[in-house]
Amino acid sequence: MNPKVDKDYCKTLQSEGVSTSIDGVTDSQSLHLPEWYDEAKFKHAQNFYRRNAYALVVVALYGLVASMALPSILSVLMFTKRSSSVLTAYRRYMATILHFVGWYTEELKPGTKYWKSLEFVRRAHSTTSRRANSKSPGMIISQRDMVIVQFSFVGYVVLSPRMLGIQYNTEDMEAFVHFWRVMGYMLGIEDRFNVCTADLPSTRNRMQQVRDLVIQPGLATTVGEDFRRMTRYMLDGMWYFNVFVNPDATLYFTYRLSGVPGYKDLSGKNYEKLSLYSRMMLRVLVAIHEVSLGVAVLRWLQNSLVYVLVNYGIQYFPVLAIIRFGFKNAIVRI
């Protein structure tokens, strides 16, 4: 592997990727599969999801928290006003879950529901980018922003599978990388920026750069009141989907997963800042990922719970959300 090429990836992402908007790609071509699409690998990745559904849904939560440490992403989220309260955040992120779980489970062919889902998401990103730029020149959804969002779903899985309780072999991980390489392409990420490549070693190297040179410094140095408020809305909203979501515990786990100094162990100054309840919930998170997901029967139960919540809870009878928001606001469908 050529270290110069690897180094150039992050440099290019942080320079050209920041100034290149996704709307230029979205408007110039219709949605289609890349020429390197491998159906067998794609379906293998979908099977990998079924065996790790709980972990792969929850890791998206950690990834989305981490992505908000980038001011460019946070600014656009605040501009849309679609996650600026607990209710709007609940509805936004329930819809996000429905979209990406559909990609994991359904056929990817033109005209299908989840092909239309990809079209919708890509069009929404493009429209938002143009609107934001017209309101505040320079505020766009850039290629780098999309790569960070892509990393949210795949990066931690590849870099820290054991911390998440992922059950895998090399073929599983290669297929999963291919899946998200395809998804990145379909959502408008240019190949030169795509964090997923044709092989696992170079993909892992790109992901390490994104984590260590973009996300980790962002979490360690640039978070402020807007980050705290927006992540709190998201995490409070997500509680109505998963009652194990405790904002402070989830933030700590995200920092730990990202390798931010001072968060590796369940001890020390940052840990002691947590309330007793948040410490308990953090230990519950660690136990779920590092212990229970390693036990086949417990993993099956947790994967089954995700299936029920996604296919029935969110769309038909989200009990806790109905109590808080009312039936009409609580029901989310795409």
Side-chain angles (χ1 to χ4, degrees):
M1 190 180 300
N2 187 330
K4 183 178 185 300
V5 173
D6 294 336
K7 185 177 181 180
D8 285 349
Y9 170 72
C10 204
K11 287 173 62 178
T12 302
L13 185 66
Q14 293 281 63
S15 55
E16 296 175 36
V18 169
S19 59
T20 306
S21 173
I22 61 159
D23 59 5
V25 176
T26 306
D27 291 344
S28 65
Q29 62 183 38
S30 59
L31 197 65
H32 64 271
L33 290 169
E35 60 182 16
W36 37 261
Y37 170 72
D38 185 323
E39 185 176 8
K41 279 189 175 181
F42 194 88
K43 289 185 175 179
H44 185 137
Q46 290 182 317
N47 184 55
F48 172 71
Y49 165 78
R50 293 183 185 96
R51 290 185 280 115
N52 292 278
Y54 184 91
L56 293 182
V57 169
V58 173
V59 74
L61 172 63
Y62 307 136
L64 291 171
V65 167
S67 72
M68 290 190 193
L70 270 72
S72 57
I73 291 177
L74 191 61
S75 295
V76 172
L77 285 173
M78 293 170 62
F79 168 78
T80 66
K81 295 183 172 61
R82 289 189 57 232
S83 51
S84 296
S85 69
V86 176
L87 171 59
T88 56
Y90 163 79
R91 292 187 59 81
R92 181 190 192 115
Y93 294 109
M94 291 306 101
T96 298
I97 289 172
L98 293 177
H99 279 292
F100 76 75
V101 169
W103 303 342
Y104 278 138
T105 56
E106 302 297 332
E107 196 172 29
L108 186 64
K109 288 187 177 179
T112 60
K113 178 179 179 180
Y114 288 100
W115 185 278
K116 293 177 181 177
S117 161
L118 282 166
E119 290 178 335
F120 171 82
V121 172
R122 187 164 174 176
R123 185 168 56 250
H125 287 163
S126 175
T127 301
T128 298
S129 184
R130 290 197 301 271
R131 286 180 53 234
N133 191 49
S134 65
K135 181 76 173 180
S136 178
M139 184 192 295
I140 60 172
I141 299 178
S142 69
Q143 290 283 321
R144 185 194 66 168
D145 295 337
M146 286 301 298
V147 166
I148 300 306
V149 173
Q150 179 191 30
F151 178 93
S152 300
F153 295 94
V154 62
Y156 294 124
V157 175
V158 173
L159 296 178
S160 304
R162 288 180 174 80
M163 285 182 68
L164 295 166
I166 302 290
Q167 307 302 307
Y168 72 100
N169 57 37
T170 300
E171 287 185 358
D172 292 334
M173 207 58 79
E174 288 174 344
F176 192 62
V177 164
H178 179 75
F179 178 96
W180 277 104
R181 186 184 180 205
V182 172
M183 288 295 104
Y185 177 91
M186 299 289 280
L187 292 171
I189 298 176
E190 298 177 25
D191 285 346
R192 61 181 173 141
F193 298 123
N194 200 320
V195 77
C196 296
T197 70
D199 66 88
L200 189 55
S202 63
T203 295
R204 186 176 283 115
N205 189 278
R206 286 188 173 195
M207 290 177 175
Q208 287 171 338
Q209 290 183 62
V210 169
R211 181 194 62 192
D212 297 346
L213 301 178
V214 183
I215 290 176
Q216 192 181 107
L219 287 170
T221 62
T222 63
V223 298
E225 183 56 37
D226 289 338
F227 171 85
R228 286 187 284 271
R229 184 178 70 256
M230 294 295 284
T231 54
R232 186 70 188 227
Y233 287 145
M234 180 179 75
L235 295 172
D236 283 349
M238 287 293 292
W239 182 86
Y240 295 94
F241 172 75
N242 181 349
V243 295
F244 291 113
V245 174
N246 170 270
D248 291 336
T250 302
L251 282 169
Y252 193 103
F253 194 94
T254 302
Y255 277 56
R256 183 172 182 256
L257 197 58
S258 303
V260 178
Y263 291 86
K264 180 180 179 181
D265 301 315
L266 303 186
S267 61
K269 180 177 66 175
N270 293 316
Y271 179 77
E272 290 170 1
K273 291 179 182 178
L274 300 176
S275 68
L276 288 176
Y277 179 71
S278 293
R279 292 183 200 179
M280 181 188 75
M281 293 307 296
L282 174 59
R283 290 184 177 274
V284 168
L285 285 181
V286 172
I288 288 172
H289 286 295
E290 297 185 6
V291 180
S292 72
L293 288 176
V295 179
V297 65
L298 296 179
R299 184 171 63 254
W300 178 83
L301 287 170
Q302 288 167 279
N303 290 343
S304 298
L305 176 62
V306 166
Y307 177 85
V308 171
L309 288 174
V310 171
N311 289 284
Y312 301 101
I314 295 174
Q315 302 182 73
Y316 298 102
F317 202 64
V319 179
L320 295 173
I322 289 171
I323 293 171
R324 171 68 189 276
F325 306 122
F327 187 83
K328 183 178 180 180
N329 286 327
I331 299 297
V332 179
R333 294 173 187 159
I334 59 172

